Amino acid sequence: MEEVSDIERLIAVEEIKQLKSRRDRAVDLKDWDTYTALHAPDHESNNDGYTPWTREDMVNHLRHDIGHVDIIHLSHTPDIEIHTKTTASGRWYLEDQHFWQQDGEDHWLHGFGFYHERYEKRDGKWLFVFRRIERVRVMASPGAVHPAKIAAIKSGEFRGPR
């Protein structure tokens, strides 16, 4: 195993924190080009109840299924482990809020959980190579059905409880 110095470890952790910040901001602002560039071409994403997504699947889902949903992501309290000079993993506390119109009424969702992620440094930049969302609590407005769930059920991607 290659040796990672303390200073290299500190720099890597800070770079991964910046990567995560840019990711959350890009998805909340619907900046799909930036969002795509932060993920490796072979990225895989797993969200509870859904079939795994490639990078392209994930970006298409975000753009088309929830592009009209206002989202606020709060990722904090990271536990980042640097494995080598080019590989790392992390677990972040997740809190997100979603706001949308459904049948002419305002609806919302407030979720809590964890991101489980892996990162690789490629061509001098850290990228996401894997993400799994583990939700531990979700609260929603009465009668709300999230637009992403509706789209996933229609496409056959959703495997969780309806």
Side-chain angles (χ1 to χ4, degrees):
M1 180 181 262
E2 61 186 314
E3 188 69 26
V4 180
S5 72
D6 289 344
I7 194 73
E8 289 171 319
R9 188 175 309 283
L10 288 170
I11 290 169
V13 166
E14 185 59 29
E15 289 174 346
I16 290 168
K17 287 179 180 179
Q18 295 296 314
L19 173 72
K20 183 67 167 180
S21 176
R22 288 191 301 272
R23 179 261 177 210
D24 286 356
R25 187 171 47 254
V27 74
D28 290 353
L29 295 176
K30 315 296 192 255
D31 181 353
W32 306 126
D33 292 337
T34 296
Y35 187 86
T36 301
L38 299 174
H39 296 78
D42 56 339
H43 174 85
E44 181 182 307
S45 187
N46 287 292
N47 296 337
D48 292 341
Y50 293 81
T51 57
W53 291 332
T54 65
R55 179 178 76 172
E56 286 72 28
D57 294 335
M58 178 179 62
V59 173
N60 286 335
H61 161 73
L62 291 170
R63 180 179 287 148
H64 300 293
D65 298 342
I66 62 172
H68 63 288
V69 176
D70 291 327
I71 303 175
I72 301 164
H73 282 87
L74 301 171
S75 299
H76 52 86
T77 323
D79 181 7
I80 299 170
E81 185 175 343
I82 306 302
H83 303 291
T84 69
K85 292 180 181 187
T86 59
T87 61
S89 60
R91 183 173 50 227
W92 295 75
Y93 187 83
L94 157 69
E95 182 178 354
D96 59 350
Q97 297 180 52
H98 301 226
F99 304 92
W100 71 96
Q101 284 272 313
Q102 177 184 318
D103 299 326
E105 295 182 14
D106 290 334
H107 282 276
W108 55 268
L109 173 146
H110 194 169
F112 304 87
F114 299 94
Y115 283 115
H116 302 271
E117 299 173 333
R118 288 195 308 268
Y119 322 94
E120 288 185 12
K121 193 169 191 175
R122 298 182 183 178
D123 297 322
K125 295 186 325 185
W126 287 99
L127 298 171
F128 293 100
V129 295
F130 174 83
R131 177 180 307 109
R132 180 175 68 84
I133 297 174
E134 174 191 4
R135 292 211 180 264
V136 295
R137 181 160 175 91
V138 175
M139 299 180 301
S141 56
V145 180
H146 197 278
K149 186 173 184 179
I150 293 170
I153 290 169
K154 287 180 181 176
S155 71
E157 288 183 4
F158 189 75
R159 305 284 187 240
R162 297 179 190 255

